[in-house]
Amino acid sequence: MKNMNKGIFLGFSSGILWAINSIVIGIILTTVGFGNYAFISPIIATFLNDFFSSIMIGIDLILNRKKITNYKVDLKNLVIILFASLLGAPIGMGGYVLSISFLGSAYTATFSVLYPVIGVLFAFILLKDKLTKRGLVGVSISVVATMILGIGSDNVVSNLGLGLIGLLMCIVGWGLEGVILSQVMSDLDERIILFIRQCTSVVSFLIILLVGFPIFDLFQSVISVNFVLLALISALAGSLSYLSYYKAIHILGPSKAMGLNISYSAWTVLFGMMFLSQPFDIRLILCCLAIIFGAILTSDLELKLGEKS
């Protein structure tokens, strides 16, 4: 029971930390000048976020190398991690950016939360990992409530077809990433997995930037002290979020971990109201509460006062 509670705490923590990461990246995208490269600002921000994250995780691995027992990565596990990382970073995140470009941020943020549904489906097919009926109800509540958050948002659709392709890449990539990585969670320390994942992301996005853009001119035009500081904060929150998420996958399995991680959409709205002076809206509050309640159901947490393990 203690291990289960730890997994639930880590799952919720991953959502809270990802909300912080998302808010800081949002501040970067709206306050930092990207000049002629504003149209690829999400890729630049993601690249630097994962770049700083990989450095942080690498330093942590060096400092704690004597404490990490499952340190060696064999070829099989490396292939699994690289494949999952490609699904999560250039494919999943690339699809997310593509969808933002053609569907707009509101629709993309709203419908990208379908990734746990894909994850649950593949976890059942590939791993025979299934949620209880209550867990399935919980995922459904969280997904529907999150989608309601996006209804009524200002949004401009420039290309529905390409936007939907990007959205499909996003939800399939992110959904499969967690399921595939669950296969190596018992063999390796989560920091090793995350380090490989972030390095894969950095190399992938760097190749995209090198092929399509004058890289030195690009970074010279966007890099500033303010940008770097914000990127470091987002990278720290993102790194801790991923580590919590991976540990939750290890303890709870991918289906429940994704159901808890999806609570980031609620925390993002709540933090925005608390710290960014975003307008109070009772509809948003009710949706956020529904998302968190759905996440609790997904985790199969027994809501019985006084119950002891």
Side-chain angles (χ1 to χ4, degrees):
M1 187 64 182
K2 282 185 177 181
N3 210 33
M4 179 68 72
N5 289 339
K6 180 182 178 182
I8 293 168
F9 172 77
L10 289 168
F12 269 121
S13 296
S14 73
I16 292 171
L17 289 162
W18 191 251
I20 296 172
N21 172 272
S22 300
I23 287 174
V24 176
I25 288 181
I27 293 172
I28 290 174
L29 295 177
T30 55
T31 62
V32 175
F34 286 87
N36 296 328
Y37 302 101
F39 67 103
I40 58 163
S41 57
I43 291 181
I44 300 171
T46 302
F47 167 76
L48 287 175
N49 178 84
D50 291 353
F51 174 73
F52 288 128
S53 173
S54 65
I55 292 176
M56 291 176 181
I57 298 299
I59 292 173
D60 182 68
L61 286 173
I62 293 172
L63 295 177
N64 293 285
R65 61 187 181 279
K66 294 182 180 179
K67 298 179 182 179
I68 299 175
T69 54
N70 47 351
Y71 202 105
K72 294 183 179 179
V73 184
D74 60 30
L75 181 60
K76 177 184 175 182
N77 285 341
L78 179 61
V79 170
I80 291 174
I81 297 171
L82 288 174
F83 179 56
S85 300
L86 289 171
L87 285 169
I91 295 177
M93 193 63 197
Y96 187 74
V97 173
L98 184 68
S99 183
I100 287 176
S101 299
F102 293 110
L103 288 185
S105 57
Y107 286 161
T108 300
T110 299
F111 292 103
S112 66
V113 298
L114 289 171
Y115 85 87
V117 177
I118 300 296
V120 168
L121 176 63
F122 278 107
F124 176 73
I125 294 173
L126 301 175
L127 310 177
K128 306 304 179 185
D129 176 38
K130 56 184 179 180
L131 288 171
T132 62
K133 290 181 179 179
R134 187 172 70 172
L136 289 171
V137 170
V139 169
S140 301
I141 290 174
S142 292
V143 169
V144 170
T146 304
M147 293 174 73
I148 291 174
L149 283 175
I151 295 177
S153 301
D154 293 332
N155 214 81
V156 177
V157 178
S158 61
N159 190 313
L160 180 62
L162 289 175
L164 290 177
I165 290 173
L167 195 59
L168 184 63
M169 289 168 57
C170 171
I171 61 178
V172 172
W174 285 353
L176 271 173
E177 179 187 15
V179 174
I180 294 172
L181 284 179
S182 68
Q183 299 301 289
V184 298
M185 291 297 179
S186 59
D187 298 332
L188 293 167
D189 188 281
E190 291 84 3
R191 287 166 289 188
I192 299 287
I193 299 172
L194 180 56
F195 180 71
I196 297 173
R197 193 265 185 207
Q198 298 298 66
C199 287
T200 304
S201 175
V202 168
V203 172
S204 300
F205 283 116
L206 182 59
I207 291 173
I208 293 172
L209 293 172
L210 282 171
V211 170
F213 307 95
I215 191 74
F216 295 108
D217 179 54
L218 187 155
F219 283 110
Q220 186 177 9
S221 66
V222 302
I223 293 297
S224 65
V225 174
N226 186 42
F227 189 5
V228 172
L229 288 175
L230 288 171
L232 285 171
I233 294 172
S234 70
L236 178 60
S239 299
L240 293 175
S241 174
Y242 269 113
L243 288 175
S244 298
Y245 178 49
Y246 287 176
K247 289 179 180 178
I249 291 175
H250 185 201
I251 296 172
L252 302 174
S255 298
K256 291 181 181 179
M258 288 182 195
L260 291 167
N261 180 257
I262 199 180
S263 66
Y264 75 82
S265 53
W267 300 119
T268 301
V269 172
L270 292 175
F271 290 160
M273 291 181 182
M274 292 168 61
F275 303 114
L276 300 180
S277 300
Q278 293 179 357
F280 178 86
D281 187 325
I282 188 63
R283 179 180 68 91
L284 297 182
I285 293 294
L286 291 175
C287 285
C288 291
L289 293 175
I291 292 167
I292 294 171
F293 177 69
I296 291 174
L297 286 182
T298 303
S299 70
D300 284 337
L301 179 64
E302 293 290 343
L303 302 176
K304 297 180 180 178
L305 295 177
E307 182 176 310
K308 297 181 179 179
S309 58

